[in-house]
Amino acid sequence: MTYRFQIEFCDRKFPETVFSKTFTHKIITVVKKYVIIAITCILCSLAGTAVRAQGTLQTIKGIVTDKQSQSAIPGVTVVISGDNSKGAVTDAAGRFRITGIAPGRYDVSFKSIGYKAFTAPNIEVTSGKEAVLDIGLEAGASELNEVLVRGGAKKHETINQLTAVSGRSFTMEEVNRYSGGRSDPSRLVANFAGVSAPDDSRNDIVVRGNSPSGVLWRIEGLNIPNPNHFSTLGTTGGAASALNTNILKNSDFLTSAFPAEYGNANAGVFDLGFRTGNTDKREHTIQLGALTGLEGMTEGPINKEKGSSYVVAYRYSFSALAQSLGVTVGTAATPFYQDLSFKINSGESKLGRFTLFGLGGASSIDILHDEVEPDDIWGNPKRDAFFKSRIGLAGLKHFIRVNNSSYFNTVIGVTYADTKQAVDSINTEKNARVVEANMTQSRYSINTSFNTTISPRLFLKIGVMEELINVDLFYRDRVSPPHEWIQIWDFNGRTSLIQGYVHAKYNVTDRLTANVGMHSQYLALNSSSSLEPRAAFKYQLTDKSTLTLGFGMHSQMQPTDAYFYQSGNEDGTFDRSNEKLGFTRSQHYVLGYEILPFSNWRVKAEIYYQWLYNVPVSDTASSYSMLNAGTRNYYYNEEGHLKNEGTGFNYGAELTIEKFFSQGYYGLLTGSLYQSKYKGSDGIERNTGFNGRYVYNLLAGKEWKTGKDNKNKLSVDMKLTQSGGRYYTPVDYAASVAQNREILAGDEGAFSMRNSDFFRLDLKFGLTINSRKRNLSHGIFLDVQNVTDNKNVLVEERFNPATNKVNTAYQIGVFPNFVYRVQF
């Protein structure tokens, strides 16, 4: 095995006495400094907003469309709860506008003959920003019996109408509200049933026991390999998200049996979108966070008559500031990152609607030998390590209507990612480079679909996608004796992945809906192909209960680096022995039941089974399996001579009990019991490196109205998480000492040991101040993560070559994360 250079934000040990005088004094000192920064920011924002507005009343506006045909619905009655005098009717373009709204939270109901009534609850209105809604109504019975759907536009249903099982939408308000989320969509979905992420240093998520590498990220219809800072080839997570939640709109997360339009994924799907900028007025947001850094966002109209607009957001990390205030980020080195996101909307025209969107990010960290403590488990006092990464995407989206019931939706775009890594060995005479890695991947994509409502009962979607994948891989090291260069990758070339699908949604009766489809994909590199049937059924047992059943066959190409790994031959030559690997395949089975027992409450249970096959394993008897890609054992894919003969399975049961936000409070309890097993080429059944066996989350929050006219609010949120420890392979101490680098036990010890269970309690305190004289609002939040200072284990055993000892690496201790936000 070759040397692995892995970038992680790792965690120091904290005092055994949680609330010792020294520790308490440190927290108080940090909080005082944050308060000073907050006061300074407020004074600056007030000074910079000199123009008075006409009071502090705001506007709720938006557009209402048919969920299937995407056509505007005129004549929809829109009413704000609690104040029947405030309402509107949508115009010919489906737009509505309600003015004179005081700051607060409101339920907004939508009713129209021929459509199921709908309520968008918990819409927050502040003095500094208009509330803009994008509502889709579902065709149904003509009677106006309201079907209350909670939590943004669709809480317990997905935005994608073709999803019937194992899916949920989430709002950006939830991302920012929940404690411990760090404004990160990945960390938010870790609160959902079936998802585990017991790692404070990275945001990789494990969905129903699958490797994080099986997750698909999609933004505005464009697939992106990894939208995270400090990311590397073949992974889907990183130390920090590059997605700015100030620009994201409500989105979907799927965990199994995906609709036919989603391919090349076995674990889960993030289907995200950027929101459209305000088409009537210019609005701005400035935000400062100890983790997320300094953010600025601006949005507004380009041409009010055409309805065109823009939104741009930029973020610059402040990790150095957090460290200077005494807050550890897990390493003495200073991580740096920045990102830019934008979306430009053309408005409607005869040629349709065009949308230009993009995201760019850069991150770097230098871990220098003279900044590393002698017993530091991550750094090495004899080496300097350098890491840089860049990611980007740009796309053009075109929507054009064929007629009132049909339309085309097309996206063309490009994604880019590169990683540069280097390690220098520090000698008394000179520094010698021992690791060099330069990895670049770009993808040029087109994704087009035809959508048509054939009848009130039948909707059809047909699409095709092609990705041209360019890779430039170079990686070599000479860490091990005799310190001669070993070439791992040296490849520059391209291939393409073509996908096609057809999906039909048919309302068999008023209570039974069927979703059936077929997905196929073809990899030009080695002519791998697949044909994948999908089916899901939803039966409305009563007005408050639903039964769902889903099945799907799925397949995924291997991580790009695996195909081009160079295997050494006995004659000293190298070849790419993995180039002919086929897709890893899976079959998903899901049964679910959901009931709304009381007003604003939901209970959902699902059981599932997943069979995985055609998994790459070694061509000789071995415990190796690609199902463990992303664990400490296989951070990079450095195995050659693989064959598609491995298997695995996941099964489990999940429960969600949710109290939607109403009457000033909310609650969420999710729990999962699961197993994740695999077989390598030696035929022995083992736990995968992602088998934690169980995970549960408890979240709750309360808001109080304060100030004159109750325009301000105080909030308290909490999150409690406990999950089972994952399995790992112990260190072979004798071999590690002999080679002065970490060597793990062989096949006999593969994933035979288990980490300690993970436990964390987070508390978040917030204050929102709505100006009485200006369209201006302030938000001040203190998110104290791991308030009990629990010593969660990151790695039970880690060999430190500087000390020749095996240590335990612990995760983050108490971490106070401060955020200040101003909107105007």
Side-chain angles (χ1 to χ4, degrees), residues 403-520:
N403 51 46
N404 289 333
S405 60
S406 305
Y407 63 92
F408 280 96
N409 207 354
T410 303
V411 182
I412 58 173
V414 58
T415 64
Y416 176 86
D418 74 42
T419 301
K420 299 182 185 300
Q421 302 179 4
V423 177
D424 292 343
S425 178
I426 308 302
N427 301 317
T428 55
E429 299 179 357
K430 63 178 182 177
N431 297 349
R433 180 138 299 178
V434 294
V435 174
E436 289 182 348
N438 297 304
M439 296 162 281
T440 301
Q441 178 177 246
S442 59
R443 300 191 179 200
Y444 300 89
S445 305
I446 181 170
N447 181 2
T448 186
S449 65
F450 173 69
N451 306 258
T452 182
T453 301
I454 297 175
S455 72
R457 290 185 179 272
L458 179 61
F459 174 79
L460 184 67
K461 184 173 186 177
I462 303 172
V464 63
M465 174 191 300
E466 180 174 7
E467 296 177 87
L468 178 63
I469 306 170
N470 299 301
V471 291
D472 188 354
L473 308 176
F474 181 87
Y475 179 26
R476 64 177 184 169
D477 78 52
R478 52 176 178 178
V479 175
S480 304
H483 302 295
E484 299 292 335
W485 285 112
I486 299 175
Q487 196 75 45
I488 309 301
W489 297 308
D490 189 4
F491 177 81
N492 189 335
R494 66 181 59 181
T495 185
S496 64
L497 179 68
I498 303 173
Q499 303 178 65
Y501 63 89
V502 57
H503 189 122
K505 179 182 179 181
Y506 183 65
N507 296 319
V508 182
T509 68
D510 289 341
R511 292 186 176 272
L512 177 62
T513 300
N515 282 276
V516 295
M518 183 72 71
H519 181 96
S520 65

Side-chain angles (χ1 to χ4, degrees), residues 284-304:
H284 318 281
T285 299
I286 297 175
Q287 182 170 304
L288 172 66
L291 281 176
T292 56
L294 179 63
E295 303 180 39
M297 185 195 70
T298 182
E299 61 181 296
I302 298 175
N303 187 311
K304 292 184 179 181

Side-chain angles (χ1 to χ4, degrees), residues 604-621:
K604 181 179 181 180
E606 280 193 341
I607 57 174
Y608 66 89
Y609 178 82
Q610 299 177 348
W611 170 250
L612 298 101
Y613 56 103
N614 275 30
V615 181
V617 295
S618 178
D619 64 354
T620 58

